[in-house]
Amino acid sequence: DAVIVDLRLNGSLSGLEVINLLRELDDGVRIVASSGYFGDAIESGYERRGINALLEKPFTMDDIVRVLASVIPGAHPEAS
């Protein structure tokens, strides 16, 4: 399973808090963090935060297919 999480969520939880909760529920879930701007702190240490890949906005369907194929074992990209 894989989840795409926007790091800039509006509401009571941040994207990183959602990622931590997902890890508590399923340590094996593949997490892709999405944002228009990651900054050096995220880019240099995203794997330590439990993030498997980054997806920068704006993105296309082909970008989504590519990044999900990179984090899901055995997945084969079928971009349009």
Side-chain angles (χ1 to χ4, degrees):
D1 292 343
V3 178
I4 299 174
V5 178
D6 193 324
L7 292 181
R8 307 278 185 209
L9 296 174
N10 291 326
S12 59
L13 293 177
S14 72
L16 290 175
E17 289 171 319
V18 169
I19 290 168
N20 291 335
L21 290 171
L22 287 168
R23 284 279 172 232
E24 288 177 20
L25 292 172
D26 181 357
D27 191 46
V29 68
R30 311 303 287 171
I31 297 175
V32 177
S34 175
S35 180
Y37 175 75
F38 290 107
D40 292 338
I42 295 293
E43 287 181 12
S44 65
Y46 68 91
E47 291 166 325
R48 287 192 319 263
R49 296 175 182 271
I51 299 168
N52 301 103
L54 302 177
L55 182 61
E56 188 170 0
K57 294 177 187 177
F59 49 81
T60 65
M61 184 60 75
D62 287 341
D63 295 331
I64 294 170
V65 169
R66 178 189 46 75
V67 75
L68 290 177
S70 77
V71 300
I72 299 173
H76 301 287
E78 295 181 15
S80 57

